[in-house]
Amino acid sequence: MRLSRNRNWGHPELVAFLKRFSAAVAKQAGWPGILVGDMAQPRGGPLPFGHRSHQIGLDVDVWYEPMPDRVLSKKEREKMSAPSLVSKNGLKVNKQFTAGTAAFIRIAAQQPEVERVLVNAAIKKEMCKLEGKHHYAWMAKLRPWYGHDDHIHVRLKCPADSPHCRHQPPVPGGDGCSKKALAFWFSHRVLHPTPSKPSKKPSKPRRQIMLADLPAACSAVLNAPAKKTDLAVESR
Ligand SMILES: [Zn+2]
């Protein structure tokens, strides 16, 4: 989706994951396919807006919405919006959440190469309600995070041949379904954050990130010669 953002690039393992994942979702949840949101920019690096992650080609956003039973045009992929699955008060899922959605989320978290799946807290709570008694290992990978009411964020584990890639620390607190684990996400300050006061001073424009600010290995990636590759997800 949103091809104009040019964020449909990723590590070969991410592209391979998406192919396997979409096939699994088609088979197990009966969806015609998935709608893939942001991956990373060509050769990665910090994005000028929108995310702090999505830099190293191992992150992808996937909509909760199934792909329609036809290939969308480029224009439709710019214009279509992702519906929210969470009620206005942020406490529970709405009618957009179906058995298919639950299967889609479960399949994502079950994949062995997946390190984390981020969802809205109301969606995590619903998944716990549906599956929580079983204490599956995948449930621990499903983490509540701000937003994420209209897409999941999938982060893959570090590929075996990337020694500088840092694993994310293991999540404490078991499957994250206990009242205590979820309480923070339904606290007043998370559901109703106080808007920051507009400052009287004009805000300084954000300093552009320079190559020197990035790890040294990034120069090698940026300066590497272009080669024929099938790493990009094909865009129609
Ligand atoms: Zn994301």
Side-chain angles (χ1 to χ4, degrees):
M1 306 304 281
R2 308 285 185 273
L3 297 173
S4 60
R5 288 156 77 113
N6 198 23
R7 293 177 180 177
N8 46 346
W9 301 79
H11 189 283
E13 291 202 10
L14 185 68
V15 177
F17 159 75
L18 283 169
K19 288 180 180 171
R20 277 196 302 273
F21 176 52
S22 61
V25 171
K27 202 171 157 196
Q28 296 176 47
W31 287 17
I34 55 172
L35 301 177
V36 180
D38 280 359
M39 296 165 71
Q41 303 178 111
R43 301 190 189 214
L47 303 172
F49 63 93
H51 298 280
R52 244 184 288 172
S53 58
H54 290 259
Q55 295 197 27
I56 59 171
L58 296 175
D59 299 276
V60 59
D61 294 338
V62 188
W63 292 19
Y64 293 116
E65 185 82 352
M67 183 184 124
D69 55 6
R70 64 191 169 83
V71 175
L72 294 167
S73 69
K74 273 189 182 174
K75 202 171 163 192
E76 285 172 309
R77 283 189 273 172
E78 290 299 323
K79 292 271 149 71
M80 214 176 123
S81 55
S84 171
L85 268 55
V86 175
S87 65
K88 282 217 171 76
N89 62 12
L91 296 177
K92 53 181 198 294
V93 294
N94 62 25
K95 282 187 184 142
Q96 299 274 351
F97 186 100
T98 63
T101 320
F104 161 78
I105 296 168
R106 179 175 12 91
I107 296 162
Q110 277 174 333
Q111 303 311 306
E113 66 270 53
V114 167
E115 190 161 62
R116 290 265 206 290
V117 178
L118 304 182
V119 295
N120 183 278
I123 293 172
K124 168 75 186 189
K125 194 170 81 175
E126 184 68 13
M127 292 300 287
C128 290
K129 205 169 96 186
L130 295 172
E131 315 246 14
K133 276 183 208 136
H134 305 286
H135 294 282
Y136 297 117
W138 62 261
M139 188 58 92
K141 295 200 247 170
L142 194 64
R143 308 303 304 172
W145 201 247
Y146 301 93
H148 295 86
D149 58 323
D150 57 10
H151 69 273
I152 56 170
H153 172 111
V154 176
R155 169 65 187 262
L156 296 191
K157 290 176 184 164
C158 289
D161 61 353
S162 301
H164 299 295
C165 174
R166 282 192 216 134
H167 292 277
Q168 299 198 303
V171 185
D175 62 7
C177 285
S178 70
K179 256 201 166 147
K180 202 177 151 204
L182 287 169
F184 166 78
W185 294 101
F186 296 100
S187 63
H188 185 82
R189 67 185 162 128
V190 172
L191 289 177
H192 308 282
T194 3
S196 51
K197 279 186 198 143
S199 119
K200 280 170 195 149
K201 282 188 215 151
S203 59
K204 273 193 207 155
R206 224 168 47 160
R207 195 175 74 88
Q208 235 189 343
I209 297 166
M210 309 303 277
L211 187 53
D213 300 324
L214 300 175
C218 297
S219 312
V221 173
L222 280 171
N223 295 329
K227 59 177 178 183
K228 272 207 179 134
T229 171
D230 61 352
L231 302 192
V233 171
E234 185 196 343
S235 58
R236 284 174 229 244

